[in-house]
Amino acid sequence: MRVLVTSAASDIGSLISEGLRPGHDLRLTDLPGASSGDITGCDLGHDDATDQIVAGVDAVVHIGYEGQDGGAPALIDYHTRRTYNLLLAASAAGVERCIYISTLRLLQDYEENLTVTERWRSLPPTDDPVLLACHLGEVTCKEVARDGLLKVATLRLGFPIVKGDRSDAVASGETAAVASDDVVAAIRSALTAEIEQWQDIHLQSPRPGQRFLMHAAQKLLSYPETETQGAAR
């Protein structure tokens, strides 16, 4: 597949692009100030430049958390107006799906003893512009998907992201940690899995007492291979 990865200059963008590169033809983009090398700069405006960045692409991996820096106005603008421009252009170019990379931190204010699934409402803090912008990006993607323009899978990643495999995530001692290997494997699956028009998918590395349940990931992405229920549920 030809896959467009946004915010490619960020740490999470680098992790995803390096993991997807074997077996996929990648096109990398970021805002012009962060572009270099094989990363094409694009403002994601409602213009020809955005049309060109999505031309010939099969799927978009759009990073909605920790992909961009800046204050609240810049972050909110990126995750609403620019995200809308990107998805509108992608739809016009025939792109059928977007994987929006979000975070389970949007649900971190729920008590750990609660059984939090994909159906729970996110709790974005108004005093954290990074999380608020990420949430608004989810809303933007949802509205575009509901209009039938393209399918969107919102992949909410666990925290922190631990470099390595599941054993490294477990060794971190964090009940919501996700291994970098699992992030890449899940995105690979999400690119081809049968998904609904719009869907939230929770993703953390399975472990005893894990904080979040992953019914959608198990059903749609065959991840994890064996579901691990939290010890305190």
Side-chain angles (χ1 to χ4, degrees):
M1 297 179 67
R2 176 168 291 178
V3 181
L4 174 68
V5 180
T6 66
S7 297
S10 65
D11 289 342
I12 183 65
S14 297
L15 167 67
I16 291 171
S17 58
E18 289 172 8
L20 294 182
R21 196 175 300 279
H24 291 294
D25 181 9
L26 298 189
R27 181 177 297 170
L28 308 180
T29 189
D30 210 320
L31 294 180
S35 62
S36 63
D38 60 349
I39 301 175
T40 301
C42 182
D43 281 315
L44 299 184
H46 185 51
D47 54 22
D48 290 341
T50 305
D51 294 340
Q52 292 172 12
I53 207 70
V54 297
V57 166
D58 299 307
V60 174
V61 178
H62 185 43
I63 297 174
Y65 180 66
E66 294 190 332
Q68 296 294 323
D69 297 321
L75 288 172
I76 291 172
D77 177 67
Y78 181 88
H79 293 292
T80 54
R81 180 182 67 86
R82 296 178 197 258
T83 292
Y84 179 80
N85 291 338
L86 171 68
L87 297 184
L88 193 66
S91 172
V95 179
E96 295 184 351
R97 75 176 60 198
C98 171
I99 312 301
Y100 182 74
I101 304 301
S102 184
T103 176
L104 282 168
R105 289 190 184 277
L106 290 172
L107 300 162
Q108 66 185 354
D109 285 345
Y110 286 114
E111 296 178 5
E112 286 207 38
N113 64 322
L114 297 177
T115 306
V116 179
T117 71
E118 295 88 350
R119 295 184 179 275
W120 286 54
R121 185 186 300 273
S122 62
L123 300 174
T126 57
D127 59 349
D128 186 331
V130 176
L131 284 175
L132 179 59
C134 178
H135 166 73
L136 292 174
E138 284 193 6
V139 174
T140 301
C141 290
K142 182 191 303 184
E143 293 307 312
V144 171
R146 283 178 170 174
D147 285 341
L149 299 182
L150 76 172
K151 295 182 178 181
V152 177
T154 297
L155 193 60
R156 290 175 174 162
L157 303 182
F159 55 91
I161 298 175
V162 179
K163 187 174 183 179
D165 59 21
R166 293 180 188 177
S167 64
D168 296 306
V170 173
S172 73
E174 300 288 344
T175 58
V178 62
S180 59
D181 288 356
D182 284 336
V183 171
V184 172
I187 294 174
R188 281 184 172 275
S189 295
L191 288 171
T192 57
E194 289 294 330
I195 61 174
E196 297 179 8
Q197 192 67 30
W198 166 79
Q199 191 152 18
D200 287 332
I201 303 172
H202 290 180
L203 186 79
Q204 69 161 104
S205 293
R207 54 159 294 156
Q210 68 187 57
R211 184 165 181 179
F212 298 98
L213 299 186
M214 302 182 290
H215 297 312
Q218 185 184 35
K219 179 179 179 181
L220 298 174
L221 312 181
S222 298
Y223 171 90
E225 293 81 0
T226 301
E227 186 175 18
T228 302
Q229 297 288 351
R233 303 298 184 219

